[in-house]
Amino acid sequence: MIWIVLAIMIVATIILNSPTIKGMIGEKSVTNQLNKLNKEKYIILNDVTIPSSSGKTTQLDHVVISTYGIFVIETKNYRGWIVGDEKSEYWTQVIYKRKERLYNPLRQNYGHVMALKGLLSEYSELPFIPIVCFSFRADLKVKVSSEVIYTSKLVKTIKKYNQEAISASDVKQIAATIGNANITNKDIKKQHVKSIKLDISNKRNKISNDECPKCGGSLVLRNGKFGQFKGCSNYPKCRFVNNSK
């Protein structure tokens, strides 16, 4: 009986640590928060996949349409310290002594906004409000002016935008346009996920001759016991070494 319980716990741990499952949990948490909004004032669309300007597709976690603007919400369910700034290509996730890089979610969400602008090009000067939403598992230490918040602050953040800029009739038409463009074909959505994973893999495997792939610092030429090598300029905080010359 004990072995069965242990087996169940191990399987449960593996499942819960899956990036896909963690992403789903994060998105569900945000959906629950968005459901607190007044349905007469806000139209909520979850898990929207639309064509992008690059000819591919882009997946938006949540879009909220209202007379106050179009809120484009990117969900992240990372844990540990999240360190970064507005313009960096990558942010850093720190868990004890381990550091991992993640693509700047502000840049990621900018791509989502641009895809929506292309889709809604017939409307002029629509106010888009991008929001990046982290779960309570993260400890945000980012230096940004954009909306990078915890899930628990989402509704409050949306409600602080209270100046009407879109007519009620346009709100319904915009929601319908996005809904009609939403790609529901499972094969296409699977291809989108596959494409994203490939892009992430390529970025992780690419080692720049000038940039540390671990922390983003500069790589400098050093002399060691076995000859010259390139090491991170942030040593000893970062001990990355590239032995290829």
Side-chain angles (χ1 to χ4, degrees):
M1 188 67 180
I2 295 177
W3 290 109
I4 295 176
V5 173
L6 288 173
I8 293 173
M9 291 176 63
I10 292 171
V11 171
T13 300
I14 293 172
I15 292 174
L16 290 175
N17 282 322
S18 163
T20 302
I21 298 299
K22 287 192 290 185
M24 291 173 60
I25 293 173
E27 290 179 25
K28 182 63 177 176
S29 177
V30 170
T31 299
N32 291 338
Q33 287 293 319
L34 293 176
N35 286 336
K36 297 177 183 179
L37 292 170
N38 187 333
K39 300 298 188 299
E40 295 182 0
K41 294 183 177 181
Y42 300 91
I43 298 176
I44 303 164
L45 302 177
N46 301 310
D47 188 18
V48 176
T49 301
I50 60 175
S52 67
S53 58
S54 65
K56 297 181 180 180
T57 56
T58 186
Q59 189 267 336
L60 297 82
D61 292 336
H62 313 274
V63 182
V64 178
I65 308 102
S66 73
T67 56
Y68 312 114
I70 301 173
F71 301 88
V72 185
I73 303 165
E74 175 65 21
T75 301
K76 295 298 179 187
N77 197 30
Y78 291 97
R79 64 189 180 95
W81 286 9
I82 305 297
V83 183
D85 58 43
E86 199 91 28
K87 297 181 179 180
S88 298
E89 183 176 2
Y90 293 95
W91 287 3
T92 304
Q93 176 191 31
V94 183
I95 303 176
Y96 299 108
K97 294 184 179 181
R98 182 168 63 87
K99 294 182 180 180
E100 296 288 344
R101 293 202 302 173
L102 60 137
Y103 187 64
N104 186 339
L106 293 175
R107 292 193 176 196
Q108 182 181 4
N109 216 20
Y110 175 77
H112 298 161
V113 171
M114 294 307 293
L116 279 175
K117 283 185 176 181
L119 179 65
L120 303 171
S121 58
E122 63 181 280
Y123 299 91
S124 61
E125 299 182 0
L126 288 175
F128 289 87
I129 302 100
I131 300 175
V132 176
C133 203
F134 280 85
S135 71
F136 69 91
R137 301 168 76 239
D139 188 355
L140 295 177
K141 298 187 179 296
V142 294
K143 297 178 181 179
V144 297
S145 57
S146 302
E147 300 287 11
V148 180
I149 61 171
Y150 292 106
T151 302
S152 58
K153 302 291 184 182
L154 181 56
V155 171
K156 183 178 180 180
T157 299
I158 290 175
K159 285 185 175 181
K160 80 177 184 181
Y161 293 89
N162 53 20
Q163 298 297 316
E164 293 195 352
I166 307 174
S167 69
S169 59
D170 279 349
V171 166
K172 293 181 179 179
Q173 290 178 4
I174 289 169
T177 299
I178 297 174
N180 291 334
N182 183 25
I183 299 170
T184 57
N185 184 288
K186 292 183 179 180
D187 291 334
I188 296 178
K189 293 175 82 72
K190 285 181 180 179
Q191 184 60 40
H192 170 77
V193 173
K194 185 178 179 180
S195 176
I196 292 297
K197 288 182 178 179
L198 181 60
D199 288 342
I200 293 173
S201 178
N202 289 338
K203 288 176 181 178
R204 285 180 176 174
N205 291 333
K206 182 179 179 181
I207 298 178
S208 168
N209 289 327
D210 301 311
E211 181 181 344
C212 173
K214 188 172 182 181
C215 72
S218 300
L219 294 182
V220 296
L221 196 62
R222 300 183 186 278
N223 294 312
K225 182 178 179 181
F226 301 102
Q228 289 186 323
F229 65 94
K230 283 189 175 181
C232 184
S233 59
N234 290 325
Y235 177 87
K237 290 184 178 179
C238 177
R239 297 177 178 271
F240 175 79
V241 172
N242 182 4
N243 291 313
S244 61
K245 298 178 183 179

